Amino acid sequence: NAGVTQTPKFQVLKTGQSMTLQCAQDMNHEYMSWYRQDPGMGLRLIHYSVGAGITDQGEVPNGYNVSRSTTEDFPLRLLSAAPSQTSVYFCASSYSWALNQETQYFGPGTRLLVL
Amino acid sequence: GENVEQHPSTLSVQEGDSAVIKCTYSDSASNYFPWYKQELGKRPQLIIDIRSNVGEKKDQRIAVTLNKTAKHFSLHITETQPEDSAVYFCAAGQGGKLIFGQGTELSVKP
């Protein structure tokens, strides 16, 4: 298994540009989440999904959209990038919450710089 | 909304000493409490977790305690080693939604 994969590893955007951060997992995990990590701020939850077709907002959802059309993929869309969205983005997945399988496995991260 | 507070933000100990990191959470519905270790430039990795029906869990030099009434939980690392130096995060959540603390940078001096 490749686990949780994220692309790209690094991206530079100009203010106002849009882009999609890709996240995929091959472990048949139901739950997937997106976090951003800024110095001194820890990991902040952007959006999460409890299964295909179901998404919900986290702590900092503004400026980001998600969809979950398949179990494997959970892309994060920036509609109009702003310098405040400069951060490291982590995707994570877990098998199930109800079956004591809550362990979240993280992807390698995407480093985003918005100029 | 839900909130997780973590203290201290930095912790420096001598090799062989113990380290304790404390977290409090606001959502009484939280039922899962993991701890993650993150080395510089790498992804967070789970080191231990505890569920709401358990008060304490131990794995070799690492232990976690949970007080649901007070809504706080702690990480204890005994006999610290230089390779324990990293940033540690607590988290609390339920139903697929995890909220993380701000992190503790642990430095173990040889």
Side-chain angles (χ1 to χ4, degrees):
Chain A
N1 288 350
V4 181
T5 58
Q6 292 183 237
T7 56
K9 290 183 180 179
F10 180 70
Q11 183 72 45
V12 179
L13 290 179
K14 294 182 179 177
T15 297
Q17 287 185 317
S18 63
M19 81 159 295
T20 300
L21 279 64
Q22 301 291 345
C23 174
Q25 51 85 17
D26 61 358
M27 299 176 282
N28 199 31
H29 284 180
E30 285 296 318
Y31 292 77
M32 297 186 75
S33 299
W34 275 103
Y35 298 91
R36 61 176 289 174
Q37 184 171 36
D38 305 296
M41 300 290 289
L43 292 151
R44 292 186 290 172
L45 181 65
I46 305 172
H47 287 283
Y48 68 105
S49 170
V50 300
I54 306 170
T55 64
D56 205 347
Q57 296 182 348
E59 300 171 276
V60 289
N62 292 343
Y64 307 96
N65 277 0
V66 292
S67 60
R68 184 97 181 271
S69 57
T70 68
T71 299
E72 294 78 19
D73 301 297
F74 191 40
L76 179 72
R77 298 182 186 86
L78 281 70
L79 304 177
S80 178
S84 61
Q85 293 179 304
T86 293
S87 188
V88 179
Y89 291 85
F90 286 101
C91 178
S93 72
S94 60
Y95 181 70
S96 171
W97 210 267
L99 299 176
N100 287 329
Q101 300 273 2
E102 307 97 327
T103 300
Q104 281 201 352
Y105 297 90
F106 282 78
T110 293
R111 190 173 297 273
L112 178 67
L113 174 62
V114 183
L115 302 175
Chain B
E2 301 94 333
N3 188 46
V4 176
E5 294 287 335
Q6 182 173 346
H7 298 281
S9 57
T10 61
L11 180 58
S12 182
V13 301
Q14 288 296 129
E15 182 177 0
D17 288 349
S18 295
V20 180
I21 303 171
K22 299 183 179 182
C23 289
T24 59
Y25 60 99
S26 62
D27 186 1
S28 56
S30 295
N31 57 18
Y32 178 61
F33 308 89
W35 287 86
Y36 281 82
K37 176 183 180 181
Q38 187 180 29
E39 297 176 340
L40 191 63
K42 298 194 175 180
R43 72 190 81 181
Q45 301 234 328
L46 181 76
I47 56 172
I48 195 167
D49 57 13
I50 192 167
R51 292 168 182 85
S52 58
N53 58 348
V54 177
E56 185 173 355
K57 183 177 178 180
K58 188 173 181 180
D59 183 4
Q60 298 182 353
R61 297 186 296 110
I62 296 173
V64 59
T65 59
L66 170 66
N67 183 329
K68 283 215 72 180
T69 302
K71 288 192 281 187
H72 67 69
F73 56 114
S74 300
L75 176 72
H76 304 251
I77 306 174
T78 59
E79 300 172 23
T80 54
Q81 301 165 4
E83 51 265 38
D84 293 330
S85 295
V87 179
Y88 292 80
F89 293 98
C90 65
Q94 55 90 21
K97 183 178 184 180
L98 264 186
I99 303 300
F100 281 76
Q102 298 90 338
T104 296
E105 184 174 0
L106 174 64
S107 175
V108 181
K109 299 185 185 307

